[in-house]
Amino acid sequence: NTDRELASITLYVQEKNKMLEELQEKMKEVLNDSSNENRDKLLNISKNIKQSINFEKDWDKIKLHFEKVHPDFFSKLSQICPQLTQNELKHCAYIKINMNNKETATLLGVDYNTVKMSRYRIKKKLELLQEEDLTQFIQQI
């Protein structure tokens, strides 16, 4: 049950953020074409959308369920590599629940290449060899 709950919370957050980002982009287009009288109203709506994309609140929800499913994951990972940052630990959690780079980028509100670079840095910090797979390593924790 908790596995399914974690998956559904993660999927919900991912879809919500994706939809809000798409709305934000459409709002920018409309703002460029709008008259001055509607501009303030549209800017206010855009601001509300931006505030709804609260990645930290989303992470708190996901982390709560994640820790129920994988209770010692963060402490074990921190013992293996204490120099991992909070953001890198978050990336490792997403790897643990089998999220790909694109899904992780959507959840974090960052570019796909940023996620790739972050995974590369995590692999370096964990001192994994080039032929070693980060995902497999994380799955074994």
Side-chain angles (χ1 to χ4, degrees):
N1 271 351
T2 50
D3 257 345
R4 268 187 275 143
E5 201 173 313
L6 174 61
S8 68
I9 291 268
T10 305
L11 184 62
Y12 164 77
V13 168
Q14 180 183 6
E15 290 301 312
K16 178 199 81 149
N17 288 346
K18 186 176 175 183
M19 181 204 56
L20 288 172
E21 286 173 354
E22 288 171 4
L23 278 173
Q24 190 72 2
E25 286 302 311
K26 289 178 183 175
M27 187 62 77
K28 285 179 185 175
E29 292 172 18
V30 172
L31 272 167
N32 290 334
D33 296 337
S34 68
S35 65
N36 284 340
E37 63 187 59
N38 290 326
R39 197 170 203 48
D40 288 338
K41 291 176 186 176
L42 291 171
L43 282 170
N44 194 29
I45 293 169
S46 182
K47 182 180 172 186
N48 288 338
I49 291 171
K50 195 176 273 188
Q51 288 173 344
S52 295
I53 306 174
N54 187 335
F55 297 109
E56 285 308 309
K57 247 191 228 177
D58 293 340
W59 168 244
D60 291 341
K61 288 178 193 172
I62 292 170
K63 186 178 180 188
L64 179 72
H65 292 285
F66 180 88
E67 288 176 329
K68 286 180 185 175
V69 177
H70 308 286
D72 297 327
F73 177 77
F74 292 115
S75 60
K76 287 178 184 176
L77 190 56
S78 292
Q79 285 175 350
I80 293 168
C81 186
Q83 64 267 31
L84 288 174
T85 66
Q86 287 300 311
N87 199 37
E88 290 167 336
L89 290 170
K90 196 183 298 188
H91 277 258
C92 290
Y94 291 142
I95 293 170
K96 180 79 171 171
I97 58 176
N98 292 315
M99 298 201 77
N100 63 35
N101 291 352
K102 188 175 180 182
E103 293 167 330
T104 302
T106 301
L107 275 173
L108 296 175
V110 297
D111 185 66
Y112 171 83
N113 290 322
T114 303
V115 174
K116 283 178 65 175
M117 183 55 74
S118 180
R119 288 186 182 204
Y120 171 78
R121 287 185 184 124
I122 292 168
K123 191 172 176 176
K124 266 184 106 166
K125 283 185 179 182
L126 291 170
E127 298 178 358
L128 298 178
L129 300 174
Q130 188 174 2
E131 60 272 4
E132 290 181 284
D133 185 45
L134 177 62
T135 302
Q136 283 181 335
F137 180 84
I138 296 292
Q139 291 300 331
Q140 292 172 359
I141 298 174

